[in-house]
Amino acid sequence: MSPVTFAAAQCAIRAGDISANLTLHTQFMQHAREHGVGFLLFPELSLTGYEPTLAKNLAQDLDCALLAPLRQLAQEACMTTVVGLPLHLSNQEKPLIAAFILHPDGSLGIYTKQHLHPGEEHYFNPGKGGDLMCIEGLTVALSVCADFTHAEHPSRAAAQGAQVYATSVLIGETGHPHDSTLLQGYAKHLQMAVLMSNHGGSTGGWASAGKSAFWDEQGQCVATTTGTGNRLLIITKKTQGWKGVEEPLSVAPKVQAKVTPQQE
């Protein structure tokens, strides 16, 4: 069989600076392309940072024009890419936490976070999830952070035939032991591989743990990033099973970003 290559883009985001974050996403995508990645997963709200108080002003429409360069790169690389943005819908006052899916054929898909953490309801509305995807012959289900803390979410994905559960998250040091154990348990008991992409730096006042990871269908941790920072976790499935490696990503020095205050 031909190798199947997935990757988690663990990135350190600039708060509210979509332009700078687009540049960082492009660097990750280009690096992933060099390794033949067919599916690239970014963390929750990766293009804005996890910034609930700014989300309403930063929210984008379904036909988000600023994604055009990333969509073109996804096409050129034949790489399904999942990026995070708050989504504005005309019939809702508050935005949704969305994963925008950039398909290799140029089309755009949407997954919206179904389960909110306590307090998020002040800034966001819950979403409706999304459809399964077929990536290089494997069926993939998406999840955004708190979704996976509700056992029925991964269980439903497995029942629908998902072979990989890909979750975009923001997990801090305190919560990491519990959450990683939970994800590992899903992989083992549902016999469904799990890919987790975490933030690589602080965002929204939360210090991310990093440590993005991949567990195989037996619940074995195939690979994890070593702490925080901009790192690409590359996972390849070959005849003998899954193999993983992490690669640090060199980026321009981080500078203080200007953040637009939320309008009343």
Side-chain angles (χ1 to χ4, degrees), residues 96-253:
L96 283 67
I97 297 176
F100 284 67
I101 308 160
L102 319 180
H103 292 290
D105 64 0
S107 62
L108 181 68
I110 294 288
Y111 175 95
T112 51
K113 183 176 181 178
Q114 295 177 273
H115 302 281
L116 301 180
H117 283 293
E120 288 184 341
E121 71 279 1
H122 299 302
Y123 306 100
F124 302 102
N125 283 334
K128 297 182 178 180
D131 297 329
L132 299 181
M133 300 176 292
C134 183
I135 309 294
E136 299 190 10
L138 292 177
T139 304
V140 179
L142 290 181
S143 156
V144 176
C145 211
D147 285 340
F148 78 76
T149 65
H150 296 257
E152 66 272 18
H153 192 275
S155 295
R156 182 168 59 251
Q160 292 174 337
Q163 296 165 284
V164 179
Y165 187 72
T167 185
S168 301
V169 305
L170 168 58
I171 298 175
E173 283 286 355
T174 302
H176 187 271
H178 173 269
D179 288 347
S180 59
T181 298
L182 202 60
L183 290 169
Q184 183 177 31
Y186 294 146
K188 180 178 180 180
H189 298 297
L190 298 175
Q191 298 182 345
M192 175 177 65
V194 174
L195 176 66
M196 182 264 279
S197 180
N198 198 10
H199 280 265
S202 297
T203 181
W206 296 87
S208 173
K211 302 176 187 175
S212 299
F214 182 89
W215 295 269
D216 67 15
E217 300 86 347
Q218 289 75 48
Q220 297 296 316
C221 185
V222 173
T224 181
T225 59
T226 51
T228 56
N230 289 301
R231 300 175 181 276
L232 187 66
L233 185 68
I234 304 168
I235 308 293
T236 302
K237 186 173 187 179
K238 300 181 179 180
T239 304
Q240 66 271 32
W242 295 97
K243 302 293 181 182
V245 63
E246 72 160 320
E247 291 203 0
L249 192 75
S250 297
V251 298

